[in-house]
Amino acid sequence: MRKFIPTKPIEGQKPGTSGLRKKTRVFQQPGYLENFIQSVWNGIGGVGGKTLVIGGDGRFFNEQAIQTVLAMAAASGARHAIVGQNGLLSTPAASHLIRLRKADGGIILSASHNPGGENGDFGVKYNVANGGPAPEDVTARIFEATQTIEHYDILRAPPVDLSVLGETALGAMTIEIVDPVRDYAALMEQLFDFAKIRALFQSGFTMRFDAMHAVTGPYATAILEDTLGAAPGTVLNGVPSPDFGGGHPDPNPIWAKELMELMHRADAPDLGAASDGDGDRNMIVGRNCYVTPSDSLAVLAANAGLIPAFAVGLGGVARSMPTSQAVDRVAEAQGLRCFETPTGWKFFGNLLDADMASLCGEESAGTGSNHVREKDGLWAVLAWLNILAEKRCSVAELMQAHWAEYGRNYYSRHDYEAVDSAAASDLIAALRARLADLPGTHVQGLSVLKADEFGYTDPIDGSRSEGQGLRIWLSGGGRMVFRLSGTGTEGATLRVYLERLETDPDKFGDDPQQALADIIAAADQLAGIRDRTGRSAPDVRT
Ligand code: G16
């Protein structure tokens, strides 16, 4: 039975860098999810007659939320819902399904790398017909709709059994429950040289992939172990759990600590990799050799010719603004177009659609290509495997050779989490006010060459995004960037991105924190981080 439920706007339903993310308990409040979903429908002009892909990363509240989304899609006249079995779909697999099945869009339930569980985080993201996250004009319309909503529509019906593959119906809407892995795995097989990777594993190459108790487990097991012949046990923490085993499913050296320790032991495997809550982030680590996401992007760009999907060459490359400039020099050497976009995968969408960029990456552990319109953790791991299968060298050797050719961009991101929101905004405002006066001044023995606030004009649709981070360039090839995260759920997270180019091969082996020490001190001095936040050190350094 279709129900028309009167409601009122709920404050704060503004999508951030990637959808709406809040504490799970906030989403569990009566009407909270319903208000947002109805606002999505209202913001996109309704879902009448449309086909939607629906799935999530399996975190606590996932299945319940999917039942609500289905009941609301059916009540609003959607024609067809394609749902991952047991409500599971990794973000890149959802993006692929939207494209493959020519759906009108999709709803992905995930707070990505944020912890899950009753005390953790939950999130909802709307993706458009190209498979990518909704662009800013769409999220703006959705936000507007959250502020004027007066009612939502929902079908009151028994829950749909999401465990059984095949078709069923909810009201007049067809629901198709699909294997979450099958189509994605088939796509990967088209993109990479599986025979070469299989031969690599047969030659004794070893790896560990830490799925961090999140959605990538079934994908990684099917592809790495069952198809490519990696030894059983290659995939660690491969069974998705609603609270990610109590962990923080963020693939970086801090949260993937066990894997990092393993990779620094004498009996370390050849390759270590990890992926996040919804499978779109990745970490790459060799024996005693962590690869920063920025370096990973540069290495993939430099070696793209070894990957069958890129046999025709790259249309161009793109990186988010705070990502290191390592890929820029590869692009320059190879005569490739190189774009700098604001943080958020949605900004790559138009470039990928227009084939102006076919390889994109972000410092936040996101790498991907034009095969879908999301970043893709497992794709990045397979790309590395494909390159290593061709080169038959270690990760460390590959990095050394890369730096010898292009120089090394020492890079680190310092995060100050759950900072008082007003203090964080004041810090940014105060620094913004001084930007024009900084060039020509000196700090910690470095001169400021240039300073600005990043804004971006999309080269395809001309849309303009302002206020995308404060940038300061220093003598000696240094750069620092300040911005506030758009994915946190508590207070504000201040992100400070630090970078310096080193071209002397004798200095490629330093610890990044040491190599960047003067820039780190300069950042603190310029922005007054200690004084304004009361923090003497960042919570996370990656
Ligand atoms: C999301 C976005 C990324 C972005 C990252 C960090 O990643 O999809 O494009 O780089 O957040 O954003 P922020 O610095 O604003 O926190 P994910 O993996 O959380 O979806």
Side-chain angles (χ1 to χ4, degrees):
M1 193 182 36
R2 184 175 170 212
K3 285 262 190 197
F4 174 96
I5 314 278
T7 186
K8 285 199 189 106
I10 298 175
E11 222 182 292
Q13 293 200 324
K14 186 172 179 12
T17 308
S18 186
L20 184 70
R21 287 189 195 167
K22 298 282 175 195
K23 292 280 164 215
T24 310
R25 288 188 196 283
V26 172
F27 266 105
Q28 285 180 303
Q29 295 171 90
Y32 192 93
L33 176 66
E34 290 83 347
N35 259 34
F36 187 68
I37 294 296
Q38 186 66 51
S39 301
V40 172
W41 299 168
N42 296 349
I44 62 170
V47 287
K50 290 186 178 172
T51 296
L52 298 170
V53 168
I54 299 168
D57 63 13
R59 69 180 61 217
F60 180 80
F61 195 54
N62 185 57
E63 178 146 358
Q64 213 177 318
I66 289 182
Q67 297 290 353
T68 301
V69 175
L70 287 173
M72 292 186 67
S76 287
R79 188 179 65 81
H80 190 173
I82 302 168
V83 187
Q85 189 179 27
N86 297 316
L88 292 181
L89 273 179
S90 77
T91 287
S95 181
H96 176 51
L97 263 184
I98 293 172
R99 297 167 66 76
L100 181 72
R101 302 295 302 275
K102 300 193 173 20
D104 297 283
I107 295 282
I108 301 174
L109 300 147
S110 171
S112 190
H113 58 287
N114 297 15
E118 223 167 343
N119 298 315
D121 294 342
F122 194 77
V124 179
K125 194 164 80 152
Y126 173 67
N127 279 32
V128 293
N130 76 351
E136 282 201 315
D137 60 323
V138 178
T139 52
R141 285 202 300 276
I142 292 171
F143 179 49
E144 266 167 48
T146 69
Q147 296 170 300
T148 53
I149 186 167
E150 289 176 349
H151 68 89
Y152 63 84
D153 289 345
I154 190 158
L155 215 66
R156 294 291 182 217
V160 178
D161 184 351
L162 301 179
S163 68
V164 184
L165 293 175
E167 283 197 3
T168 173
L170 184 63
M173 181 174 82
T174 308
I175 296 181
E176 184 186 345
I177 313 278
V178 298
D179 178 336
V181 176
R182 197 193 55 198
D183 292 320
Y184 176 85
L187 174 67
M188 292 302 116
E189 198 151 1
Q190 286 165 29
L191 302 174
F192 298 108
D193 192 335
F194 270 30
K196 279 238 164 71
I197 302 176
R198 219 175 270 128
L200 178 71
F201 281 119
Q202 267 163 10
S203 74
F205 182 92
T206 52
M207 92 174 271
R208 292 288 180 281
F209 178 94
D210 189 350
M212 304 189 89
H213 304 279
V215 78
T216 327
Y219 295 85
T221 307
I223 295 171
L224 298 175
E225 295 186 12
D226 302 347
T227 309
L228 291 169
T234 294
V235 178
L236 308 171
N237 304 317
V239 178
S241 103
D243 69 346
F244 307 118
H248 193 138
D250 194 358
N252 63 40
I254 309 295
W255 298 115
K257 198 162 160 272
E258 276 171 32
L259 180 69
M260 285 302 284
E261 281 168 7
L262 175 68
M263 295 309 295
H264 286 79
R265 282 194 344 219
D267 60 345
D270 296 296
L271 180 67
S275 187
D276 71 332
D278 61 333
D280 58 1
R281 295 186 175 206
N282 75 90
M283 178 174 86
I284 300 293
V285 52
R287 268 195 197 124
N288 293 309
C289 178
Y290 167 68
V291 181
T292 68
S294 298
D295 272 348
S296 176
L297 174 65
V299 167
L300 294 188
N303 296 285
L306 301 176
I307 296 173
F310 295 139
V312 292
L314 293 172
V317 292
R319 64 165 171 83
S320 68
M321 181 275 284
T323 302
S324 99
Q325 296 158 97
V327 73
D328 301 33
R329 282 189 317 288
V330 176
E332 200 181 334
Q334 302 198 356
L336 289 169
R337 289 181 287 204
C338 180
F339 296 90
E340 186 177 43
T341 60
T343 295
W345 202 263
K346 59 192 169 202
F347 292 103
F348 295 134
N350 280 346
L351 295 171
L352 290 164
D353 282 350
D355 203 27
M356 288 167 76
S358 33
L359 174 67
C360 306
E362 294 190 281
E363 51 66 39
S364 58
T367 331
S369 83
N370 51 1
H371 67 290
V372 290
R373 293 295 179 272
E374 288 277 7
K375 53 192 192 272
D376 188 343
L378 203 46
W379 175 91
V381 176
L382 290 167
W384 270 84
L385 279 170
N386 202 148
I387 290 169
L388 293 172
E390 290 282 355
K391 292 207 156 250
R392 296 294 176 120
C393 67
S394 71
V395 172
E397 285 162 354
L398 189 56
M399 289 318 303
Q400 285 298 333
H402 184 88
W403 293 332
E405 192 166 351
Y406 299 99
R408 175 173 184 182
N409 283 69
Y410 277 105
Y411 187 83
S412 183
R413 186 178 93 186
H414 289 192
D415 293 336
Y416 298 81
E417 294 177 344
V419 171
D420 175 68
S421 298
S425 308
D426 288 352
L427 180 150
I428 294 289
L431 189 56
R432 178 185 289 124
R434 289 175 55 210
L435 284 180
D437 301 329
L438 288 178
T441 61
H442 300 274
V443 53
Q444 299 285 329
L446 299 161
S447 5
V448 177
L449 302 180
K450 223 170 39 162
D452 72 4
E453 181 160 27
F454 182 56
Y456 177 69
T457 304
D458 185 292
I460 318 291
D461 64 19
S463 60
R464 179 83 189 153
S465 304
E466 301 287 359
Q468 299 294 327
L470 309 181
R471 308 188 283 188
I472 299 171
W473 288 266
L474 302 159
S475 51
R479 184 181 77 147
M480 57 177 90
V481 172
F482 299 82
R483 62 179 281 280
L484 300 182
S485 158
T487 56
T489 57
E490 208 180 329
T493 296
L494 170 67
R495 300 208 196 283
V496 185
Y497 310 83
L498 307 140
E499 173 181 9
R500 181 171 70 78
L501 174 64
E502 179 59 70
T503 51
D504 178 353
D506 292 336
K507 295 185 181 158
F508 287 163
D510 293 346
D511 169 50
Q513 301 304 320
Q514 291 302 321
L516 294 164
D518 52 352
I519 299 177
I520 292 170
D524 185 42
Q525 189 181 326
L526 279 176
I529 300 173
R530 271 168 212 255
D531 295 345
R532 288 182 177 275
T533 65
R535 304 288 175 83
S536 55
D539 298 284
V540 179
R541 289 186 184 93
T542 49

